Amino acid sequence: MIKSKFGVLSLCATCSITALAMGGAVAQETSVDNADTSANTRRLNTVTVTSRKREESLQDVPMSITAVDGDLMEEAGYVDLSQVQRISTNVVIANINTYAPRLYIRGIGTRNFDLGSEQSVGIFVDGVYQARSSNLDLGLMDLERIEVLKGPQGTLYGRNTIAGALSVVTKKPSDVLEGHVSAEYGASEISGDDFYNLSGRVSGPLTQSGVLGTLAVTHRNREGYLPIKNSNRRGGGDEDTIAARGKLLVPLSESVDLTLIADYLDQDAPTYVLKSVPVLDAGGNVIPLDEDDLYSPESNRTDIGTTRESWGLSGTLNWDLGAFDLTSITAYREVSLYDRMDNDATAVDATERDTSEDSSQFSQELRLSQATDSYNLLLGAYYGQDEGDRRLYLDFNLPVPTWYLDAMTSLDATNYAVFGQFEYFLTDNLNVTLGARYSKDEKDFTYDTESGFPAFSTFMDTVSKDWDSFDPMISLAYDLNDDNMLYASYSSGYKSGAFQWLARNATAANDVADPEAVDSYEIGYKGLLADGRLQLNASVFHMNYEDLQLLLYRNVSPPGLPEQFVLLTVNAADSTIDGFELETKAVLTDQWSVDFGYAFLDGSYDNFVRELPSGEIQDFSGNPLVRAPKNTLSTALNYFEDYSFGTVNARVAYFWRDKWNHEEDANTINPRSTVPATGMLDASVTLGFQNGFDISLWGRNLTDERFQQGVINTTGSPQQIAPNEPRTYGIRLTKKFGGN
């Protein structure tokens, strides 16, 4: 049941926004009747989203969504998905490594990135689910918008969206010839860290029969903001990437069209670099953290780095059958990566780690939809196949004996699902939406481990598991008038079960975590006030988060042998999450507008107790969830004006986040597992000239705030820390051509 404090909060918020909506509606009618409409300032543009598998206004969708414009991302100097958190509240993303992003929404996420674990935030690119974290290229290209869907999306999006989803939508081919070429140069506050980006796009008609096409290419190169001592490499965003995406829109008939998409990526990727920082001195006292020293990691290796190659194909068929519309999305993707890192993160030749992974995925989705004056109906089916091989090689450079670990894991996973959603208009103002999805996962996970390390056994084993889940949803939406809506919803979702990413023996390999599950309750308001110049969206939510996949000690010794306790991923706790979100946009004058977002999040562990092999009890019950800051705030002041030479578009944005934890212990056991409250200031200005040239200046983290975005804790020993990007700035020149 919903907690009493949440019920009071929901009731107060609902009453407040209802009163505001009604008052705003009256004020809106008064301004139209009595004001000179020719003198009115400009209104907010209508934002179209496809979060419910059809095009509709953002303000008509009864759920929490942030729509991030692609042009805004580019002009602000935001180059990857991790920077979405500066715009959308209750989102925490740490892009520590290109194949190991940490994505959290409303306190739910995962730090695991191996074949045995799944993500909690689903990533979709042009409607195609990205099955493996190693598939995620967090760089953005040819971007139309990013839709941040908050809360479980189990009905329309399926498994592994218990926290929400990020839907990346790229630009459609144009029906007139247009394009641009762009060159960007920049640097960070760390000496030697400079970068350049070259990109281009051309789009337009290819044949007289109406075939449209787009080709976008980019080359990104960066030195990196982490110069590594005793090595010729740098970490922290260092990369050399070539990427391309092509689109064809082919009208097969008056009622059928086909969109074909192909993309390719070749990347000398950001090096996975951690800074080893002593925690305690000889007296057991915590050593103060030297923030500047965080940006000078050490290594004894000169061959560290990551390479990655990825390519994918997809085809989307839309067929107007008259009474129904049929959509088919077929997609295939392959990824290959290789990573070498200094595992001990010091100048000592202690441990080295090599990781390689090859994966492929195939998916097929079919949807049948119908829209009438009385209802909207969607029925669908999904099939997905995910395969991968991952090899982890650890070399312990000790004189005697020679220790090593060569662990191969293989995944063969299949997912089936059927789903449907029915929206019925009960009256002119009230509609109800019912939805459900049935999913089934089948997984075979194979271990092939060769060990010269006493703590691990040489063994081979295949573990097979299957799970199913039924995820319903229901929402009610009431239109106060054409511009103001109240809604209430229930939704559910699940994340697939987890295998051990590194098993010491067959006993550990057969300890498999069950799926996680979430039930979410949400009440919200969406409105346009002040004659369309103010957008106000607010929601309160309560989530029951069950069977969290966390680390507990388990005895993995075979029967008859001495007990050997190790940390395994198991279902260790439940959690309760309450929160409030507010997002507003306001047009102040023809030139000035402001964006504002605030979120409150209260998430904690229920009955999370861990017993150490020594018998000591670690009780984390009541501790806040990791990567779940209690308060987040974002605001931006925007300026736009036409001048005789062209246009000026400027933005100053501030993002602030409360303290948050890397570990479940909330800094009571592992020093520095808590990140202090941090605010970051960004700014950009673009001069657009009438001859098609644009000049943009931008800066990220202008106040040069520094903190650890990732921590690996080993209590009493050095902690391995990944620091955030320091002050970074750049200039971009763009030449546009064609268009209307």
Side-chain angles (χ1 to χ4, degrees):
M1 297 298 293
I2 299 177
K3 290 185 175 179
S4 59
K5 65 176 181 179
F6 179 77
V8 172
L9 177 62
S10 301
L11 180 60
C12 292
T14 302
C15 292
S16 299
I17 59 182
T18 302
L20 179 59
M22 297 301 291
V26 172
Q28 192 173 345
E29 292 171 359
T30 302
S31 66
V32 171
D33 290 340
N34 299 328
D36 181 2
T37 55
S38 63
N40 283 351
T41 55
R42 61 187 175 92
R43 300 182 180 185
L44 290 164
N45 294 326
T46 299
V47 177
T48 300
V49 296
T50 54
S51 55
R52 294 199 294 179
K53 309 295 186 180
R54 66 176 188 266
E55 291 189 351
E56 55 188 331
S57 168
L58 171 69
Q59 296 303 103
D60 292 336
V61 183
M63 60 185 294
S64 296
I65 307 174
T66 303
V68 182
D69 183 72
D71 291 338
L72 184 151
M73 293 283 290
E74 181 180 45
E75 291 171 0
Y78 298 160
V79 295
D80 62 54
L81 281 181
S82 68
Q83 283 139 359
V84 168
Q85 64 189 317
R86 287 162 136 97
I87 301 172
S88 183
T89 55
N90 269 340
V91 177
V92 179
I93 304 175
N95 188 12
I96 298 173
N97 182 275
T98 189
Y99 67 87
R102 276 74 165 172
L103 295 86
Y104 286 71
I105 296 179
R106 292 180 172 178
I108 300 178
T110 181
R111 288 174 292 182
N112 296 340
F113 48 86
D114 54 279
L115 290 176
S117 299
E118 304 282 2
Q119 295 295 314
S120 301
V121 180
I123 306 292
F124 297 80
V125 179
D126 290 324
V128 177
Y129 175 60
Q130 308 298 297
R132 306 292 344 140
S133 63
S134 56
N135 286 347
L136 305 183
D137 176 29
L138 296 189
L140 304 175
M141 179 177 60
D142 199 28
L143 179 66
E144 177 71 27
R145 68 182 179 277
I146 301 171
E147 298 176 15
V148 184
L149 285 61
K150 300 177 183 179
Q153 306 295 320
T155 298
L156 292 185
Y157 290 85
R159 76 194 198 284
N160 308 330
T161 59
I162 59 170
L166 297 180
S167 178
V168 179
V169 181
T170 61
K171 293 181 178 179
K172 296 179 180 179
S174 173
D175 57 3
V176 296
L177 180 64
E178 63 176 17
H180 74 268
V181 291
S182 179
E184 184 175 53
Y185 176 79
S188 78
E189 197 68 16
I190 304 298
S191 177
D193 178 29
D194 55 2
F195 58 86
Y196 67 85
N197 299 324
L198 302 173
S199 64
R201 178 180 186 270
V202 61
S203 183
L206 298 179
T207 69
Q208 293 182 346
S209 62
V211 177
L212 308 178
T214 295
L215 177 63
V217 296
T218 186
H219 178 206
R220 306 191 301 264
N221 184 280
R222 182 169 184 172
E223 294 301 314
Y225 57 82
L226 296 176
I228 304 171
K229 296 178 182 178
N230 307 313
S231 177
N232 60 353
R233 292 300 303 264
R234 300 173 70 102
D238 60 307
E239 67 170 322
D240 188 1
T241 298
I242 296 176
R245 176 181 287 113
K247 275 190 176 184
L248 285 177
L249 176 58
V250 183
L252 301 179
S253 70
E254 291 185 358
S255 59
V256 183
D257 64 70
L258 175 66
T259 300
L260 300 173
I261 305 176
D263 65 81
Y264 175 79
L265 172 82
D266 183 66
Q267 186 177 60
D268 185 359
T271 306
Y272 196 3
V273 176
L274 298 168
K275 170 67 176 180
S276 182
V277 182
V279 177
L280 306 175
D281 61 19
N285 302 308
V286 177
I287 299 174
L289 188 65
D290 185 345
E291 293 182 349
D292 292 333
D293 188 54
L294 287 180
Y295 293 79
S296 57
E298 293 183 300
S299 175
N300 62 285
R301 299 185 69 170
T302 60
D303 58 352
I304 57 178
T306 305
T307 58
R308 186 165 66 121
E309 186 177 26
S310 171
W311 63 271
L313 300 170
S314 71
T316 300
L317 181 75
N318 291 301
W319 189 354
D320 183 355
L321 298 173
F324 293 89
D325 292 321
L326 175 67
T327 299
S328 169
I329 303 177
T330 309
Y332 180 80
R333 174 166 295 279
E334 286 191 4
V335 179
S336 178
L337 70 87
Y338 178 64
D339 175 55
R340 305 198 72 178
M341 70 171 292
D342 188 347
N343 200 56
D344 55 83
T346 68
V348 177
D349 189 13
T351 59
E352 300 175 356
R353 188 178 84 181
D354 291 5
T355 304
S356 61
E357 182 179 309
D358 295 291
S359 65
S360 64
Q361 68 171 87
F362 170 81
S363 63
Q364 173 64 57
E365 181 169 303
L366 290 173
R367 299 197 303 264
L368 194 66
S369 62
Q370 184 183 46
T372 72
D373 293 337
S374 302
Y375 63 84
N376 291 311
L377 172 67
L378 184 146
L379 300 172
Y382 178 85
Y383 169 84
Q385 181 73 29
D386 180 18
E387 298 179 352
D389 296 309
R390 184 181 179 92
R391 183 192 182 202
L392 173 67
Y393 185 85
L394 284 173
D395 192 356
F396 301 84
N397 294 314
L398 301 174
V400 178
T402 300
W403 284 356
Y404 71 94
L405 178 66
D406 192 353
M408 173 72 78
T409 53
S410 299
L411 171 70
D412 187 351
T414 304
N415 174 254
Y416 312 87
V418 291
F419 57 94
Q421 187 161 290
F422 180 67
E423 180 183 26
Y424 184 71
F425 305 106
L426 298 171
T427 70
D428 290 341
N429 299 90
L430 180 65
N431 67 76
V432 59
T433 302
L434 301 172
R437 188 184 191 102
Y438 174 78
S439 302
K440 184 175 180 61
D441 285 337
E442 297 175 351
K443 291 188 177 184
D444 296 325
F445 202 75
T446 300
Y447 298 86
D448 186 358
T449 300
E450 182 179 336
S451 175
F453 182 46
F456 285 78
S457 301
T458 295
F459 75 99
M460 178 181 292
D461 195 8
T462 297
V463 182
S464 298
K465 288 287 184 177
D466 61 82
W467 302 278
D468 61 2
S469 181
F470 178 74
D471 294 296
M473 66 82 60
I474 181 173
S475 72
L476 283 170
Y478 181 75
D479 294 330
L480 300 169
N481 52 44
D482 289 342
D483 294 324
N484 296 275
M485 174 182 69
L486 291 173
Y487 70 88
S489 68
Y490 161 80
S491 60
S492 63
Y494 86 104
K495 183 173 77 172
S496 184
F499 297 87
Q500 306 305 325
W501 77 279
L502 186 61
R504 294 199 177 195
N505 52 35
T507 302
N510 281 272
D511 200 331
V512 181
D514 289 329
E516 297 181 345
V518 169
D519 291 308
S520 176
Y521 306 85
E522 182 170 314
I523 300 173
Y525 162 79
K526 289 189 173 184
L528 287 175
L529 308 171
D531 198 22
R533 299 191 300 274
L534 172 64
Q535 175 183 299
L536 176 61
N537 296 342
S539 64
V540 289
F541 56 88
H542 169 83
M543 294 193 289
N544 295 320
Y545 182 21
E546 299 178 342
D547 295 324
L548 276 67
Q549 297 168 2
L550 300 169
L551 296 177
L552 285 184
Y553 283 96
R554 292 285 179 87
N555 178 16
V556 299
S557 296
L561 295 179
E563 292 183 338
Q564 183 182 20
F565 290 91
V566 297
L567 281 170
L568 296 180
T569 300
V570 299
N571 303 106
D574 296 336
S575 177
T576 303
I577 305 172
D578 295 329
F580 168 76
E581 292 169 349
L582 172 71
E583 291 189 357
T584 67
K585 297 178 182 292
V587 174
L588 305 178
T589 70
D590 283 342
Q591 295 79 31
W592 295 93
S593 66
V594 64
D595 305 333
F596 177 80
Y598 167 75
F600 170 79
L601 188 66
D602 182 16
S604 58
Y605 297 103
D606 300 332
N607 302 317
F608 184 14
V609 178
R610 189 162 70 188
E611 183 177 359
L612 303 182
S614 63
E616 179 185 350
I617 299 297
Q618 295 178 332
D619 189 352
F620 301 145
S621 303
N623 284 357
L625 298 174
V626 299
R627 300 186 184 274
K630 190 171 287 289
N631 298 279
T632 57
L633 179 150
S634 65
T635 186
L637 182 64
N638 310 289
Y639 174 81
F640 179 84
E641 179 63 300
D642 291 314
Y643 289 91
S644 59
F645 64 84
T647 61
V648 175
N649 193 352
R651 178 180 175 89
V652 178
Y654 182 72
F655 165 69
W656 180 86
R657 187 158 56 198
D658 215 340
K659 67 178 182 180
W660 53 278
N661 301 313
H662 286 287
E663 300 293 336
E664 295 87 358
D665 73 289
N667 210 28
T668 57
I669 299 172
N670 293 317
R672 304 195 191 107
S673 69
T674 298
V675 179
T678 306
M680 287 187 285
L681 180 68
D682 302 336
S684 62
V685 59
T686 297
L687 305 179
F689 296 92
Q690 293 180 354
N691 59 4
F693 275 100
D694 288 354
I695 300 177
S696 300
L697 298 171
W698 58 263
R700 298 193 296 262
N701 190 15
L702 292 174
T703 54
D704 200 23
E705 301 295 329
R706 302 189 179 189
F707 57 90
Q708 60 270 32
Q709 63 170 330
V711 171
I712 298 177
N713 281 302
T714 50
T715 305
S717 303
Q719 288 181 321
Q720 296 181 343
I721 291 175
N724 71 303
E725 182 186 60
R727 180 188 295 119
T728 305
Y729 36 82
I731 181 172
R732 181 176 58 255
L733 303 178
T734 301
K735 170 59 178 174
K736 300 176 182 177
F737 59 86
N740 293 319

